[in-house]
Amino acid sequence: MTPWLLVWAMVCLPATSRNPVRVISRAKVLTSARRGSGSVEGVGAKTLRRDVLRSVPVLVLGSIHLPVQADEAKKPPEVESSSSAEALQLGRELRELGAVFFGAYWCSHCANQKRALGKEAFQMIRYVECAKDGFNSNRKLCNEKDISGYPTWEIAGDLYPGEMSLDELRDIVAEVKKVKGGVSEGESEHEGIVTQTTALTKDAWTINLLYDGDCPVCHAEADFLRTHDPEGKILLTDISSGSYDPSKPENGGVAYKDAMERIHAVTRNGEILQGVQVFRRTYAEIGLGWLFALSSLPAIGPVTDALYDLWAANRLRLTGRGDLATEMVKRRESRRTTCDESTHRCPSLV
């Protein structure tokens, strides 16, 4: 029962009707008496009707839980610092450009960014809460924008992830204004700012294997592939790492949950592979394709796929880790407190 309703019940209801269970018990007694004797004492019946009518709101409304206190707890911390004259000017310019600040209530780097701007300047900027359980969450917009970490700024349609100094934000604003003013991209090249449109690095890998580093079997296989791949054709990405980011081009947008349910790999041209097909292609890259050659035969392939699916469905339990739901909770809780100090960024919990 919510506190306000408890107070109402204690003040407005007589002692006999503050306990709904007592009212129900009295109703049973009086009902039995009516069946046995054919009559009920008038005063008792009137008292019962009065108590029942007064108890109904308690029974119905008392079961309603108002999430006011929960919402309060999910709000970002208040910005208490005052804005400098420079921060106020920057806030006005960001507002003119329609800048959007994507963050999460629990993100320490988001709090640092707000503190650097100050209360007055931050109030000029649109803030979007990305945490699913955050106050006024707009998780849908964050997903549509492919926000993978916090804070992330959207300025003039481009995304700029990570906590930034006022000077860095001022440089971005200046460059955006130059571009909007007709200056060519070559003339307005801005160094030191990393956006989410980074290209794939020019190295030797041809296929990226997404493996679970917390799984002893998977870890052993990754070590085996690393040992037999001197040319570096296989990029090995540990999805159990707190820094795993599905939005990176080499990860193909494969979410942690999907990668945990079935093994995935992403080729250099963006093709996404799953299941036994991953092993066929990966081992073929290092000249060991013959190990899985039989799995390509029509008569054997379906059996191999079925055996892998059985293993994948029970992998966590067989390696002593419970189930996927448990792993998701562990990952969420650990990532709440794991913000990357090198990039000044907190990861998304997706």
Side-chain angles (χ1 to χ4, degrees), residues 217-263:
V217 176
C218 309
H219 194 280
E221 183 165 21
D223 287 342
F224 174 83
L225 292 171
R226 190 179 291 110
T227 301
H228 292 80
D229 182 28
E231 298 180 10
K233 292 184 176 181
I234 303 173
L235 180 64
L236 297 168
T237 298
D238 183 1
I239 61 172
S240 67
S241 169
S243 61
Y244 174 69
D245 185 353
S247 70
K248 289 184 177 180
E250 62 267 28
N251 295 334
V254 179
Y256 171 79
K257 181 177 182 295
D258 295 333
M260 286 289 287
E261 289 177 341
R262 303 188 86 227
I263 192 167

Side-chain angles (χ1 to χ4, degrees), residues 164-200:
M164 299 182 191
S165 67
L166 296 186
D167 287 338
E168 288 176 315
L169 283 172
R170 194 177 293 111
D171 288 344
I172 294 175
V173 169
E175 296 299 330
V176 170
K177 287 186 173 181
K178 286 181 181 179
V179 173
K180 293 184 71 173
V183 180
S184 66
E185 183 178 351
E187 294 174 317
S188 62
E189 182 179 358
H190 182 78
E191 298 181 358
I193 302 298
V194 180
T195 69
Q196 287 190 313
T197 56
T198 53
L200 293 174

